[in-house]
Each structure stands twice: as C-alpha cells, then as structure tokens.
Amino acid sequence: HRHLLGIEGLSPIDIEALLDMADEAVDVSRQVEKKKATLRGRTQINLFFEPSTRTQSSFEIAGKRLGADVMNMSVASSSVKKGETLIDTAATLNAMRPDIIIVRHHAAGAVHLLARKVDCSVVNAGDGAHEHPTQALLDALTIRRNRGRIQGLLVAICGDILHSRVARSNIILLQALGARVRVIGPSTLMPAGIERFGVEVFRDMRKGLEGVDIVMMLRLQRERMNGSFVPSVKEYFRYYGLDAEKLSAAKPDALVMHPGPMNRGVEISSEVADGAQSLIREQVEMGVAVRMAVLEALARNLPNG
Ligand code: CP
C-alpha cells in the first residue's frame, strides 16, 4: 500500500503484520536509545486541521524515532486562515517534496481527496466521522498484548457512535480479526443502519455490557452536535456513563479502554478511568508504536525504500 487511508481495504494479514511490527516498535521505544534509521533523510509533514494531543504528538515522536525530519504544519497560523483551499494547501506542501503527509481533517473523505493530489504517501489521522485507522490499530495492539488474541472476544463500543470515526474503524478491524462487536448508546447517537456493519445494537448499557471482555468508551462529541440534541451531562452519565456499578455487568476481568480525550464524569467516572481494569495509559504508549509500524510499512513503498 502507498497510503493508509482507512482500515477498510486492509486484509487481516495486513493488520496482523502491522501489529507484529508494532510489537517490535514497543521494544525499541522502551530502550534508552530509541532511534532507528528507517526514515533517515525522509521528510514527514503533520497537517492537522482539527485539534489533537495524542495523535499528532505520537506521529511526531514516531517519525523522529525512525530518523525522519518531521514538520508540524501550524494550520491555525497558515494561509488556510486566508481562504486557501485544502487542494491548494496540499499542492503547496507537495511542491516541497515531502515523503509522507499525516492528515487530520473535519470532513469525511478529505484525506482521500488529498491523497489523490500529492505524490507522497498519506496517512489518515482522522477524517470527520469516517475513519481513524491508527487509533483502531493501537486499540487492537493493546487488546492483543493483554488478551493474547482478538479472535473470539466480545467487545462493546459505548456512547456517541454517531460522530465517532474511532467506532467505525474499530468495528471494521475487530470484526476482520474475528471479534464480536456490540454498540451501546442512545438512539439519537446511533447511526441509522448501523446493523449493516454486523454489530449487535443495545440502548440499555447494563444489558449491553453483560458478558463482554472489552468495554470501549467514546467521548461525547458535543462540538459536532446540533444544539437541540446535546444531552444533559447529568442525564447522560446516569444512563451511559461507565461507573463501577455498570462495569460490574461485564466479565469480572473485563478491560476498559478510551481513545481520549476523556470527559471525566460525562462518559466515564474517574474511579473506572484510573482503576485496575483501565488500559487507557497503555493505549497511549501503543499509539507511538503503531504509528512507528505504519511509517515503517509505508517506508518500504517509498521510492528507493
Ligand atoms: N484519540 C485521539 O485521536 O486523540 P487526539 O484527538 O488527542 O489525537
């Protein structure tokens, strides 16, 4: 593959190969000397049109650990603010001869469009409510390292499914590797026709959590909601916030995940987020490793790679 635009289009073999490479990247990242030379002499541009803490910083660290020259494009102070279009911005950056561009954009499909306009490799770091492939890969890596496998696990993805690119990428990946997936949330935050993805749908969180191995919480994305549909925080937490009492419906050794950023007291209690069953910090560490693996895989397909 020249680009990574989504989990859709990756085979189970592609996914397992990336996870194997990411396991090796975890070992590299835990050494005192963390540098490899895979991307030495290569230029990586991080182009984020939406805010990010985890994804942007981990792509920067991943690129630097592989020896790339990494440039973080500051969109807020760029000519995008003067009305330059996505395509013109892409053409401008392309003329500087980067090898890899990492893109986050608020519009679904924008990253695919950009990939058609540039000569280099493109990685989707989140496009609207469409896909966030490296998030799903880092979630899978975290699960595999803790459970030894994905096959046969029962995973519940809970909350604001409607606005979530993380949910979409995870549903595709987890099912490709043989997990069963449930989605839990209020009807107003459930995409129409979600059943077509082969998931079981629950409105009641306690019923949905019964017997699950992995509880994956999602952020309530209030910034993407039309004002009239924003639920009250108190009511949302009561029905869909993961606290110790609701978590007790899952398997006793169920593991809790959240892609971040978390809204404590909205979709998850601090007790659970910081509790013994939480993998949230480990997900962040796996984020760097997965992004190193993706960059290394793309490097093989760069000219002279
Ligand atoms: N999980 C995730 O994508 O976090 P950021 O928005 O902070 O990158």
Side-chain angles (χ1 to χ4, degrees):
H1 301 267
R2 183 155 82 94
H3 307 299
L4 176 64
L5 302 179
I7 297 298
E8 202 163 27
L10 295 184
S11 68
I13 291 170
D14 293 333
I15 296 167
E16 296 276 16
L18 283 169
L19 299 183
D20 292 344
M21 288 171 74
D23 271 327
E24 288 173 25
V26 174
D27 296 338
V28 171
S29 294
R30 289 182 178 176
Q31 291 166 11
V32 177
E33 170 65 62
K34 301 176 173 65
K35 279 270 197 197
K36 288 182 78 178
T38 320
L39 290 178
R40 192 167 56 201
R42 304 291 191 176
T43 300
Q44 173 187 329
I45 297 178
N46 294 337
L47 177 60
F48 280 62
F49 292 89
E50 277 192 333
S52 169
T53 296
R54 281 144 286 268
T55 312
Q56 183 165 348
S57 56
S58 60
F59 265 117
E60 181 176 357
I61 290 170
K64 286 179 173 170
R65 282 189 186 160
L66 297 173
D69 296 311
V70 184
M71 192 275 267
N72 285 302
M73 176 81 195
S74 175
V75 171
S77 60
S78 73
S79 286
V80 170
K81 295 289 160 197
K82 300 176 193 164
E84 192 162 42
T85 65
L86 171 69
I87 299 306
D88 285 339
T89 303
T92 301
L93 294 174
N94 189 52
M96 298 181 196
R97 298 190 163 271
D99 298 287
I100 302 177
I101 303 183
I102 317 295
V103 190
R104 171 171 288 189
H105 198 277
H106 44 82
V111 183
H112 287 67
L113 178 66
L114 188 143
R116 289 203 296 272
K117 304 288 178 185
V118 296
D119 302 309
C120 62
S121 291
V122 173
V123 180
N124 184 356
D127 64 325
H130 179 226
E131 278 232 40
H132 191 352
T134 56
Q135 180 69 46
L137 287 164
L138 79 86
D139 290 338
L141 181 66
T142 308
I143 296 170
R144 202 178 76 163
R145 287 174 69 94
N146 279 274
R147 282 287 176 266
R149 66 195 162 88
I150 307 281
Q151 174 81 37
L153 293 179
L154 182 56
V155 181
I157 306 178
C158 313
D160 184 357
I161 311 288
L162 180 65
H163 299 103
S164 182
R165 53 200 177 207
V166 175
R168 192 181 151 85
S169 289
N170 262 308
I171 289 168
I172 301 168
L173 188 156
L174 290 166
Q175 294 191 140
L177 294 194
R180 283 194 295 140
V181 180
R182 293 178 174 175
V183 291
I184 307 173
S187 315
T188 47
L189 297 177
M190 199 60 79
I194 184 82
E195 295 85 356
R196 284 201 311 267
F197 281 84
V199 295
E200 278 184 280
V201 182
F202 290 80
R203 314 276 173 226
D204 184 288
M205 191 149 171
R206 285 177 192 80
K207 282 199 186 120
L209 289 180
E210 267 171 31
V212 310
D213 297 285
I214 307 286
V215 185
M216 201 177 270
M217 299 307 301
L218 298 173
R219 182 172 69 86
L220 189 64
Q221 298 192 40
R222 282 173 284 188
E223 77 278 15
R224 298 194 206 271
M225 292 175 194
N226 172 323
S228 58
F229 291 112
V230 182
S232 93
V233 165
K234 209 172 147 197
E235 196 176 24
Y236 188 80
F237 185 76
R238 183 165 158 223
Y239 290 103
Y240 294 103
L242 186 67
D243 55 13
E245 190 273 319
K246 292 194 199 79
L247 179 59
S248 69
K251 281 192 181 159
D253 63 348
L255 296 169
V256 174
M257 303 175 74
H258 192 306
M262 275 187 285
N263 291 145
R264 290 170 182 265
V266 180
E267 69 265 357
I268 192 165
S269 72
S270 281
E271 185 190 8
V272 170
D274 303 326
Q277 288 166 268
S278 172
L279 295 177
I280 295 170
R281 293 280 167 270
E282 191 175 329
Q283 285 175 269
V284 177
E285 182 186 2
M286 294 309 121
V288 176
V290 148
R291 285 156 187 141
M292 286 173 73
V294 166
L295 294 174
E296 287 193 279
L298 293 178
R300 291 177 183 164
N301 293 321
L302 293 175
N304 305 318

PDB file of all heavy atoms in Angstrom, residues 264-287:
ATOM      1  N   ARG A 264     -14.201  13.266  31.939  1.00  0.00           N
ATOM      2  CA  ARG A 264     -14.467  12.576  33.209  1.00  0.00           C
ATOM      3  C   ARG A 264     -15.807  13.049  33.757  1.00  0.00           C
ATOM      4  O   ARG A 264     -16.117  14.240  33.709  1.00  0.00           O
ATOM      5  CB  ARG A 264     -13.361  12.901  34.224  1.00  0.00           C
ATOM      6  CG  ARG A 264     -12.031  12.253  33.870  1.00  0.00           C
ATOM      7  CD  ARG A 264     -10.909  12.784  34.758  1.00  0.00           C
ATOM      8  NE  ARG A 264      -9.626  12.214  34.400  1.00  0.00           N
ATOM      9  CZ  ARG A 264      -9.079  11.150  34.985  1.00  0.00           C
ATOM     10  NH1 ARG A 264      -9.693  10.564  35.998  1.00  0.00           N
ATOM     11  NH2 ARG A 264      -7.901  10.697  34.589  1.00  0.00           N
ATOM     12  N   GLY A 265     -16.596  12.120  34.243  1.00  0.00           N
ATOM     13  CA  GLY A 265     -17.910  12.482  34.792  1.00  0.00           C
ATOM     14  C   GLY A 265     -18.976  12.662  33.721  1.00  0.00           C
ATOM     15  O   GLY A 265     -20.116  12.974  34.032  1.00  0.00           O
ATOM     16  N   VAL A 266     -18.609  12.490  32.435  1.00  0.00           N
ATOM     17  CA  VAL A 266     -19.592  12.559  31.359  1.00  0.00           C
ATOM     18  C   VAL A 266     -19.808  11.143  30.799  1.00  0.00           C
ATOM     19  O   VAL A 266     -20.876  10.568  30.958  1.00  0.00           O
ATOM     20  CB  VAL A 266     -19.159  13.525  30.236  1.00  0.00           C
ATOM     21  CG1 VAL A 266     -20.222  13.568  29.129  1.00  0.00           C
ATOM     22  CG2 VAL A 266     -18.907  14.916  30.794  1.00  0.00           C
ATOM     23  N   GLU A 267     -18.735  10.572  30.173  1.00  0.00           N
ATOM     24  CA  GLU A 267     -18.895   9.203  29.668  1.00  0.00           C
ATOM     25  C   GLU A 267     -18.180   8.168  30.544  1.00  0.00           C
ATOM     26  O   GLU A 267     -18.361   6.974  30.359  1.00  0.00           O
ATOM     27  CB  GLU A 267     -18.426   9.081  28.209  1.00  0.00           C
ATOM     28  CG  GLU A 267     -16.926   9.228  27.990  1.00  0.00           C
ATOM     29  CD  GLU A 267     -16.513  10.656  27.626  1.00  0.00           C
ATOM     30  OE1 GLU A 267     -17.418  11.505  27.489  1.00  0.00           O
ATOM     31  OE2 GLU A 267     -15.296  10.917  27.489  1.00  0.00           O
ATOM     32  N   ILE A 268     -17.361   8.635  31.494  1.00  0.00           N
ATOM     33  CA  ILE A 268     -16.625   7.679  32.332  1.00  0.00           C
ATOM     34  C   ILE A 268     -16.331   8.329  33.682  1.00  0.00           C
ATOM     35  O   ILE A 268     -16.067   9.538  33.748  1.00  0.00           O
ATOM     36  CB  ILE A 268     -15.317   7.234  31.610  1.00  0.00           C
ATOM     37  CG1 ILE A 268     -14.666   6.034  32.295  1.00  0.00           C
ATOM     38  CG2 ILE A 268     -14.335   8.395  31.465  1.00  0.00           C
ATOM     39  CD1 ILE A 268     -13.602   5.337  31.427  1.00  0.00           C
ATOM     40  N   SER A 269     -16.389   7.519  34.749  1.00  0.00           N
ATOM     41  CA  SER A 269     -16.053   8.053  36.080  1.00  0.00           C
ATOM     42  C   SER A 269     -14.539   7.982  36.258  1.00  0.00           C
ATOM     43  O   SER A 269     -13.865   7.127  35.662  1.00  0.00           O
ATOM     44  CB  SER A 269     -16.740   7.235  37.180  1.00  0.00           C
ATOM     45  OG  SER A 269     -16.123   5.964  37.294  1.00  0.00           O
ATOM     46  N   SER A 270     -14.010   8.855  37.098  1.00  0.00           N
ATOM     47  CA  SER A 270     -12.570   8.822  37.370  1.00  0.00           C
ATOM     48  C   SER A 270     -12.176   7.507  38.025  1.00  0.00           C
ATOM     49  O   SER A 270     -11.105   6.959  37.757  1.00  0.00           O
ATOM     50  CB  SER A 270     -12.164   9.996  38.276  1.00  0.00           C
ATOM     51  OG  SER A 270     -12.068  11.162  37.490  1.00  0.00           O
ATOM     52  N   GLU A 271     -13.070   6.969  38.848  1.00  0.00           N
ATOM     53  CA  GLU A 271     -12.784   5.705  39.542  1.00  0.00           C
ATOM     54  C   GLU A 271     -12.471   4.591  38.536  1.00  0.00           C
ATOM     55  O   GLU A 271     -11.515   3.826  38.716  1.00  0.00           O
ATOM     56  CB  GLU A 271     -14.021   5.333  40.388  1.00  0.00           C
ATOM     57  CG  GLU A 271     -13.840   4.117  41.250  1.00  0.00           C
ATOM     58  CD  GLU A 271     -15.175   3.657  41.880  1.00  0.00           C
ATOM     59  OE1 GLU A 271     -16.249   4.201  41.513  1.00  0.00           O
ATOM     60  OE2 GLU A 271     -15.117   2.753  42.727  1.00  0.00           O
ATOM     61  N   VAL A 272     -13.262   4.537  37.460  1.00  0.00           N
ATOM     62  CA  VAL A 272     -13.051   3.499  36.441  1.00  0.00           C
ATOM     63  C   VAL A 272     -11.876   3.870  35.530  1.00  0.00           C
ATOM     64  O   VAL A 272     -11.025   3.029  35.221  1.00  0.00           O
ATOM     65  CB  VAL A 272     -14.342   3.281  35.610  1.00  0.00           C
ATOM     66  CG1 VAL A 272     -14.074   2.397  34.400  1.00  0.00           C
ATOM     67  CG2 VAL A 272     -15.421   2.673  36.485  1.00  0.00           C
ATOM     68  N   ALA A 273     -11.801   5.140  35.123  1.00  0.00           N
ATOM     69  CA  ALA A 273     -10.729   5.570  34.199  1.00  0.00           C
ATOM     70  C   ALA A 273      -9.347   5.312  34.806  1.00  0.00           C
ATOM     71  O   ALA A 273      -8.407   4.959  34.086  1.00  0.00           O
ATOM     72  CB  ALA A 273     -10.892   7.049  33.859  1.00  0.00           C
ATOM     73  N   ASP A 274      -9.233   5.491  36.123  1.00  0.00           N
ATOM     74  CA  ASP A 274      -7.934   5.324  36.787  1.00  0.00           C
ATOM     75  C   ASP A 274      -7.840   3.982  37.517  1.00  0.00           C
ATOM     76  O   ASP A 274      -6.887   3.745  38.269  1.00  0.00           O
ATOM     77  CB  ASP A 274      -7.714   6.478  37.790  1.00  0.00           C
ATOM     78  CG  ASP A 274      -7.811   7.837  37.112  1.00  0.00           C
ATOM     79  OD1 ASP A 274      -7.414   7.945  35.939  1.00  0.00           O
ATOM     80  OD2 ASP A 274      -8.306   8.795  37.752  1.00  0.00           O
ATOM     81  N   GLY A 275      -8.827   3.115  37.317  1.00  0.00           N
ATOM     82  CA  GLY A 275      -8.902   1.866  38.074  1.00  0.00           C
ATOM     83  C   GLY A 275      -8.040   0.752  37.496  1.00  0.00           C
ATOM     84  O   GLY A 275      -7.405   0.906  36.446  1.00  0.00           O
ATOM     85  N   ALA A 276      -8.058  -0.387  38.194  1.00  0.00           N
ATOM     86  CA  ALA A 276      -7.189  -1.519  37.849  1.00  0.00           C
ATOM     87  C   ALA A 276      -7.530  -2.132  36.493  1.00  0.00           C
ATOM     88  O   ALA A 276      -6.677  -2.762  35.863  1.00  0.00           O
ATOM     89  CB  ALA A 276      -7.291  -2.585  38.945  1.00  0.00           C
ATOM     90  N   GLN A 277      -8.773  -1.985  36.035  1.00  0.00           N
ATOM     91  CA  GLN A 277      -9.168  -2.602  34.759  1.00  0.00           C
ATOM     92  C   GLN A 277      -8.899  -1.689  33.561  1.00  0.00           C
ATOM     93  O   GLN A 277      -9.108  -2.079  32.422  1.00  0.00           O
ATOM     94  CB  GLN A 277     -10.662  -2.960  34.805  1.00  0.00           C
ATOM     95  CG  GLN A 277     -10.956  -4.137  35.723  1.00  0.00           C
ATOM     96  CD  GLN A 277     -12.443  -4.267  36.034  1.00  0.00           C
ATOM     97  OE1 GLN A 277     -12.921  -3.719  37.021  1.00  0.00           O
ATOM     98  NE2 GLN A 277     -13.172  -4.994  35.204  1.00  0.00           N
ATOM     99  N   SER A 278      -8.416  -0.463  33.818  1.00  0.00           N
ATOM    100  CA  SER A 278      -8.255   0.518  32.737  1.00  0.00           C
ATOM    101  C   SER A 278      -6.946   0.326  31.970  1.00  0.00           C
ATOM    102  O   SER A 278      -5.881   0.153  32.562  1.00  0.00           O
ATOM    103  CB  SER A 278      -8.292   1.929  33.324  1.00  0.00           C
ATOM    104  OG  SER A 278      -7.949   2.871  32.325  1.00  0.00           O
ATOM    105  N   LEU A 279      -7.045   0.386  30.638  1.00  0.00           N
ATOM    106  CA  LEU A 279      -5.863   0.287  29.763  1.00  0.00           C
ATOM    107  C   LEU A 279      -5.566   1.640  29.102  1.00  0.00           C
ATOM    108  O   LEU A 279      -4.803   1.705  28.137  1.00  0.00           O
ATOM    109  CB  LEU A 279      -6.114  -0.745  28.659  1.00  0.00           C
ATOM    110  CG  LEU A 279      -6.300  -2.195  29.087  1.00  0.00           C
ATOM    111  CD1 LEU A 279      -6.607  -3.053  27.856  1.00  0.00           C
ATOM    112  CD2 LEU A 279      -5.040  -2.717  29.787  1.00  0.00           C
ATOM    113  N   ILE A 280      -6.157   2.707  29.614  1.00  0.00           N
ATOM    114  CA  ILE A 280      -6.136   3.980  28.891  1.00  0.00           C
ATOM    115  C   ILE A 280      -4.714   4.529  28.723  1.00  0.00           C
ATOM    116  O   ILE A 280      -4.341   4.984  27.637  1.00  0.00           O
ATOM    117  CB  ILE A 280      -7.093   4.992  29.568  1.00  0.00           C
ATOM    118  CG1 ILE A 280      -8.533   4.467  29.445  1.00  0.00           C
ATOM    119  CG2 ILE A 280      -6.969   6.379  28.934  1.00  0.00           C
ATOM    120  CD1 ILE A 280      -9.570   5.227  30.271  1.00  0.00           C
ATOM    121  N   ARG A 281      -3.888   4.436  29.760  1.00  0.00           N
ATOM    122  CA  ARG A 281      -2.494   4.905  29.632  1.00  0.00           C
ATOM    123  C   ARG A 281      -1.706   4.030  28.660  1.00  0.00           C
ATOM    124  O   ARG A 281      -0.889   4.515  27.884  1.00  0.00           O
ATOM    125  CB  ARG A 281      -1.787   4.909  30.992  1.00  0.00           C
ATOM    126  CG  ARG A 281      -2.322   5.915  31.968  1.00  0.00           C
ATOM    127  CD  ARG A 281      -1.777   7.320  31.700  1.00  0.00           C
ATOM    128  NE  ARG A 281      -2.546   8.303  32.447  1.00  0.00           N
ATOM    129  CZ  ARG A 281      -3.635   8.920  31.984  1.00  0.00           C
ATOM    130  NH1 ARG A 281      -4.087   8.693  30.759  1.00  0.00           N
ATOM    131  NH2 ARG A 281      -4.295   9.781  32.733  1.00  0.00           N
ATOM    132  N   GLU A 282      -1.958   2.725  28.747  1.00  0.00           N
ATOM    133  CA  GLU A 282      -1.246   1.796  27.852  1.00  0.00           C
ATOM    134  C   GLU A 282      -1.614   2.071  26.387  1.00  0.00           C
ATOM    135  O   GLU A 282      -0.755   1.957  25.503  1.00  0.00           O
ATOM    136  CB  GLU A 282      -1.594   0.353  28.235  1.00  0.00           C
ATOM    137  CG  GLU A 282      -0.708  -0.668  27.549  1.00  0.00           C
ATOM    138  CD  GLU A 282      -0.981  -2.088  28.019  1.00  0.00           C
ATOM    139  OE1 GLU A 282      -1.378  -2.298  29.190  1.00  0.00           O
ATOM    140  OE2 GLU A 282      -0.786  -3.001  27.191  1.00  0.00           O
ATOM    141  N   GLN A 283      -2.853   2.445  26.131  1.00  0.00           N
ATOM    142  CA  GLN A 283      -3.264   2.788  24.753  1.00  0.00           C
ATOM    143  C   GLN A 283      -2.372   3.901  24.199  1.00  0.00           C
ATOM    144  O   GLN A 283      -1.997   3.880  23.033  1.00  0.00           O
ATOM    145  CB  GLN A 283      -4.725   3.254  24.726  1.00  0.00           C
ATOM    146  CG  GLN A 283      -5.740   2.136  24.878  1.00  0.00           C
ATOM    147  CD  GLN A 283      -7.155   2.702  24.974  1.00  0.00           C
ATOM    148  OE1 GLN A 283      -7.641   2.967  26.068  1.00  0.00           O
ATOM    149  NE2 GLN A 283      -7.819   2.894  23.848  1.00  0.00           N
ATOM    150  N   VAL A 284      -2.052   4.872  25.039  1.00  0.00           N
ATOM    151  CA  VAL A 284      -1.242   5.998  24.560  1.00  0.00           C
ATOM    152  C   VAL A 284       0.160   5.511  24.176  1.00  0.00           C
ATOM    153  O   VAL A 284       0.695   5.876  23.122  1.00  0.00           O
ATOM    154  CB  VAL A 284      -1.172   7.115  25.627  1.00  0.00           C
ATOM    155  CG1 VAL A 284      -0.276   8.247  25.144  1.00  0.00           C
ATOM    156  CG2 VAL A 284      -2.571   7.636  25.950  1.00  0.00           C
ATOM    157  N   GLU A 285       0.741   4.646  25.014  1.00  0.00           N
ATOM    158  CA  GLU A 285       2.072   4.109  24.676  1.00  0.00           C
ATOM    159  C   GLU A 285       2.000   3.321  23.362  1.00  0.00           C
ATOM    160  O   GLU A 285       2.876   3.458  22.496  1.00  0.00           O
ATOM    161  CB  GLU A 285       2.596   3.199  25.802  1.00  0.00           C
ATOM    162  CG  GLU A 285       3.989   2.670  25.485  1.00  0.00           C
ATOM    163  CD  GLU A 285       4.527   1.658  26.483  1.00  0.00           C
ATOM    164  OE1 GLU A 285       3.824   1.291  27.441  1.00  0.00           O
ATOM    165  OE2 GLU A 285       5.693   1.240  26.279  1.00  0.00           O
ATOM    166  N   MET A 286       0.949   2.523  23.204  1.00  0.00           N
ATOM    167  CA  MET A 286       0.812   1.721  21.981  1.00  0.00           C
ATOM    168  C   MET A 286       0.608   2.614  20.748  1.00  0.00           C
ATOM    169  O   MET A 286       0.909   2.221  19.629  1.00  0.00           O
ATOM    170  CB  MET A 286      -0.352   0.725  22.117  1.00  0.00           C
ATOM    171  CG  MET A 286      -0.126  -0.338  23.174  1.00  0.00           C
ATOM    172  SD  MET A 286       1.455  -1.177  22.997  1.00  0.00           S
ATOM    173  CE  MET A 286       2.218  -0.816  24.580  1.00  0.00           C
ATOM    174  N   GLY A 287       0.103   3.818  20.976  1.00  0.00           N
ATOM    175  CA  GLY A 287      -0.106   4.763  19.873  1.00  0.00           C
ATOM    176  C   GLY A 287       1.199   5.114  19.178  1.00  0.00           C
ATOM    177  O   GLY A 287       1.261   5.181  17.942  1.00  0.00           O
TER     178      GLY A 287
END
